[in-house]
Amino acid sequence: MAKSDGGNKGAGALVIVVLILIAVVVKFWYIFAAAAAIGLLVFATSKMIKAHDARRAVERAQHTALLERCEQENTAYNQDPESYFRRFEGDLGL
């Protein structure tokens, strides 16, 4: 019978601990809600930062490609302006 009494004492202690834990959560619910809100805010902010970084990388790549094309066009113009403009005669209506 000593074993069953010890088991009941352990179960009783566990029930008391659970009740204390529930009382703390009920009494201080706003702290847990604030912690959850802060966690959600940090998560959302990190997702927005990652999306922004990805968009900026795409914009940088497009900008670099555009600058390279402009350099090529500028080089073609500097080499021979007349033949450069002749390429566009149909487009410009000349």
Side-chain angles (χ1 to χ4, degrees), residues 26-65:
V26 168
K27 185 165 178 84
F28 300 110
W29 65 270
Y30 52 90
I31 294 173
F32 297 110
I38 290 171
L40 184 62
L41 183 63
V42 168
F43 176 76
T45 303
S46 70
K47 289 292 184 182
M48 287 175 53
I49 289 171
K50 286 179 184 176
H52 177 73
D53 288 343
R55 189 183 70 217
R56 291 287 295 161
V58 168
E59 288 174 353
R60 264 190 238 108
Q62 290 174 343
H63 185 258
T64 303

Side-chain angles (χ1 to χ4, degrees), residues 71-89:
E71 285 294 326
Q72 290 172 352
E73 294 291 324
N74 192 28
T75 302
Y77 173 78
N78 287 338
Q79 288 175 353
D80 187 9
E82 291 296 322
S83 74
Y84 179 80
F85 283 123
R86 263 188 251 121
R87 292 189 313 174
F88 303 108
E89 282 181 0

Side-chain angles (χ1 to χ4, degrees), residues 2 5 10 12 20-21 50 61-62 64 81 83 91-94:
D5 288 341
I20 290 172
L21 188 62
K50 286 179 184 176
Q62 290 174 343
T64 303
S83 74
D91 295 336
L92 297 176
L94 297 176

